[in-house]
Amino acid sequence: MRFVLGFRAALAPMLGVLLAVMQPAKADEGTTVFSDSSRIASVGGSITEIVYALGEEGRLVARDSTSSYPEAAAKLPDVGYMRALSPEGVLSVNPTGILALQGSGPKEAVDVLKKSSVAFIEVPDHYNHEGILEKIRVVGKALGVEAKAEKLAAETDAKLTAAEKQTAAIKERKRVLFVLSTQGGKILAAGSDTAADGVVKLAGAVNAVEGFSGYKPMTDEAIVSAKPDVILTMKGGGPPISEEELFANPAVASTPAGTNRKMISMGGGYLLGFGPRTAEAIHDLAVALYGNQVLD
């Protein structure tokens, strides 16, 4: 009898996950407010930051591996990388709601989660000033704290506006090449419609890459033609890019950035998160690019 009871106890969590996947969703797929927001799984670093900035972190029961800020978030169970989720991993924490940043995946896993009995709300991710405010409002509405969200959105709006004004008077704009990786000797760079492109523009600079969107490898000829003044990289988002390795690349070495050995490296979540800290990230990037030309 003890063996049977023990077996049933061990089986219960697995049955809960299976039932959640198999049952039809209780709410419409287009839901914007959780009917029960007591146990939320947050997927996306900026989403988790917003929940904490709203003072609603007590609702969180899990987060994804990109949610490293604030430090307290690291104590929550980790359901995996936001672009490589497994339905079983997310549902194993028994959430009452899943709050996921647009772009979470893979698509098959997200489709399963959307069809489960757990409410799934996707948060839009646009790489501009208004996109950040929209994120805050969507998260606040989902949690039923719209007044708090409006207050945070207003504060963030003011900070972003101030940060953007700091470079408004600068006439000669730096050309910035964002390098995501140099694996295999190939420069993987950011084109349009990327977080890197968005933050470079907000900091008063120009994306040196033209002609493609997303992250793509660049030929030596394309790198030379881009004529970047600065190479921008991120920390903590994969294998680190060393200055020596980067400027050893002949194409990079022949650019103004290579001649002056100008490289800026910032924390990935901070630089590309497009969340409550983005105004500070814009300021820090602008200072690194323009020095005392930035107006405080």
Side-chain angles (χ1 to χ4, degrees):
M1 178 62 77
R2 286 182 181 175
F3 172 77
V4 172
L5 290 173
F7 179 74
R8 284 179 177 171
L11 193 62
M14 288 186 285
L15 284 173
V17 170
L18 286 171
L19 286 170
V21 172
M22 293 168 63
Q23 289 175 6
K26 292 177 182 175
D28 292 335
E29 193 172 299
T31 186
T32 57
V33 185
F34 291 122
S35 58
D36 181 354
S37 59
S38 61
R39 295 180 59 82
I40 301 300
S42 176
V43 178
S46 59
I47 304 304
T48 303
E49 284 192 36
I50 290 169
V51 174
Y52 272 86
L54 290 171
E56 298 297 323
E57 64 272 16
R59 302 172 187 265
L60 296 178
V61 293
R63 47 91 191 186
D64 77 307
S65 59
T66 70
S67 299
S68 57
Y69 183 90
E71 288 184 15
K75 296 176 184 177
L76 292 166
D78 186 345
V79 296
Y81 177 51
M82 66 170 284
R83 300 193 195 281
L85 300 172
S86 77
E88 295 81 8
V90 177
L91 295 171
S92 68
V93 297
N94 297 317
T96 58
I98 301 164
L99 200 52
L101 187 63
Q102 183 180 30
S104 298
K107 182 181 182 300
E108 296 76 15
V110 170
D111 285 346
V112 171
L113 290 170
K114 285 181 177 179
K115 290 174 184 176
S116 78
S117 63
V118 180
F120 187 103
I121 294 178
E122 187 173 69
V123 182
D125 194 18
H126 302 297
Y127 310 122
N128 53 40
H129 182 135
E130 285 303 321
I132 298 170
L133 306 184
E134 181 186 19
K135 264 189 199 176
I136 292 170
R137 292 184 176 115
V138 170
V139 172
K141 184 174 182 179
L143 300 178
V145 290
E146 291 174 275
K148 278 187 176 183
E150 280 304 322
K151 183 173 184 292
L152 178 60
E155 292 170 354
T156 304
D157 184 26
K159 289 178 182 178
L160 287 167
T161 299
E164 291 168 63
K165 282 182 179 177
Q166 291 177 324
T167 57
I170 294 173
K171 293 192 171 90
E172 291 188 23
R173 303 283 169 165
K174 300 283 187 182
R175 294 178 61 81
V176 178
L177 176 65
F178 180 88
V179 176
L180 184 63
S181 79
T182 57
Q183 287 182 311
K186 291 287 185 182
I187 299 294
L188 188 63
S192 60
D193 300 317
T194 60
D197 178 74
V199 78
V200 163
K201 290 174 179 175
L202 287 173
V206 176
N207 187 350
V209 171
E210 296 175 349
F212 69 81
S213 62
Y215 296 90
K216 293 182 181 177
M218 292 185 74
T219 63
D220 289 349
E221 293 80 8
I223 293 168
V224 173
S225 297
K227 299 179 181 177
D229 299 302
V230 178
I231 306 294
L232 178 62
T233 66
M234 69 176 186
K235 304 172 187 172
I241 298 173
S242 72
E243 196 172 323
E244 291 72 21
E245 176 189 12
L246 187 65
F247 294 124
N249 182 300
V252 175
S254 69
T255 66
T259 301
N260 297 312
R261 293 184 71 84
K262 185 64 177 176
M263 173 178 163
I264 299 169
S265 189
M266 295 173 64
Y270 180 57
L271 179 66
L272 306 178
F274 279 79
R277 296 184 295 158
T278 296
E280 288 84 353
I282 292 168
H283 170 78
D284 291 351
L285 178 55
V287 169
L289 288 168
Y290 299 112
N292 58 14
Q293 292 183 73
V294 175
L295 301 174
D296 284 326

